[in-house]
Amino acid sequence: MKIKSATFHRSAAAIDACPAWDWREFAFVGRSNVGKSSMINKLCGKDHLAKVSALPGKTRLLNFFVMNEAWSLVDLPGYGFAQVTKHQKYDFSVLIKDYLEQRQNLAAVFVLVDSRLPPQRIDVDFVNWLAGCRVPYVLVFTKADKLAPGKVQANISLFQEAVVREQAQPLEVIVSSSKTGSGRIGILKAIERSLQPH
Ligand code: GTP
Ligand code: MG
């Protein structure tokens, strides 16, 4: 599948401020700084569509992008970012939770996990929580350009073990890098599959 057009539509600070369309949506979620916004830019081939920063906590709202005038990518704020006030942090998690639990046209979620790290409790807990929602999800292990492939695979295996201990369903996994573009095709294929009428 080709992305022929990609435009920013709007940001939303609450579930009732989300666009009213019924286009299928694909959400990018994960810890602050894991590379959600960078991956959205890579998928679209546009460097500055979603705002990227070396400092965690850049994306603070739900950001809606329209693809091919037919479906949507949503850049979510990161979870687990401590450098904000308690009140802000609470708001962020409610925003993520409300969106993932309530958005009717949400087709699939890409959960981004830093491939350089052994399983982090917050990511394992998040995936286990998400498994209780009705929406399908795919794990995307980011920043693979920064580590030897064997080490990436070792961290993925550890993560799968940590999650599978708590849930039975098999996990679809994609290894990615926004620097090299690896994983881009896998993500687009997962979206294409989901967009096909079943
Ligand atoms: P928040 O909006 O703060 O939650 O962060 P985010 O998940 O959107 O991360 P973002 O895309 O802003 O990237 C964070 C930092 O990681 C930036 O400095 C990016 O350039 C860098 N980065 C993202 N993806 C990759 C990658 O695949 N490889 C490398 N080497 N760096 C990356
Ligand atoms: Mg971001």
Side-chain angles (χ1 to χ4, degrees):
M1 179 178 51
K2 282 216 165 86
I3 294 186
K4 292 176 205 134
S5 67
T7 53
F8 171 68
H9 179 71
R10 81 148 88 112
S11 301
I15 183 78
D16 54 12
C18 293
W21 60 46
D22 54 11
W23 283 340
R24 294 177 80 76
E25 276 172 13
F26 299 88
F28 284 69
V29 67
R31 237 153 20 91
S32 281
N33 208 243
V34 70
K36 301 174 291 295
S37 302
S38 303
M39 184 46 72
I40 287 177
N41 289 342
K42 194 73 193 176
L43 289 177
C44 304
K46 285 190 168 181
D47 286 348
H48 304 291
L49 188 63
K51 287 190 182 127
V52 168
S53 169
L55 298 174
K58 182 67 183 173
T59 309
R60 299 195 169 203
L61 301 166
L62 307 172
N63 291 294
F64 293 85
F65 301 93
V66 176
M67 301 294 130
N68 294 350
E69 293 172 30
W71 50 278
S72 175
L73 291 183
V74 188
D75 191 8
L76 266 59
Y79 56 74
F81 174 47
Q83 303 298 111
V84 291
T85 66
K86 272 195 172 149
H87 181 65
Q88 276 176 311
K89 198 175 169 195
Y90 178 71
D91 278 350
F92 296 161
S93 32
V94 166
L95 186 57
I96 296 169
K97 236 175 140 216
D98 279 357
Y99 175 82
L100 295 174
E101 283 178 337
Q102 295 176 37
R103 188 70 167 160
Q104 292 299 315
N105 53 323
L106 178 59
V109 179
F110 293 95
V111 184
L112 276 61
V113 178
D114 192 329
S115 70
R116 298 170 301 175
L117 305 175
Q120 305 289 297
R121 189 72 239 171
I122 193 164
D123 291 321
V124 173
D125 284 352
F126 181 79
V127 171
N128 283 326
W129 172 79
L130 190 63
C133 300
R134 54 166 189 98
V135 66
Y137 61 89
V138 176
L139 297 182
V140 178
F141 286 86
T142 65
K143 306 194 184 183
D145 57 282
K146 288 199 161 185
L147 206 65
K151 291 194 171 147
V152 169
Q153 281 308 326
N155 284 336
I156 292 175
S157 299
L158 289 172
F159 193 88
Q160 284 176 310
E161 274 170 38
V163 170
V164 168
R165 258 185 243 136
E166 300 185 41
Q167 53 173 284
Q169 93 185 71
L171 299 166
E172 185 177 345
V173 166
I174 293 172
V175 178
S176 80
S177 162
S178 306
K179 292 274 179 277
T180 67
S182 71
R184 181 180 179 274
I185 290 180
I187 293 172
L188 289 174
K189 278 193 176 149
I191 292 173
E192 190 169 29
R193 247 186 287 132
S194 176
L195 286 172
Q196 276 160 5
H198 345 257

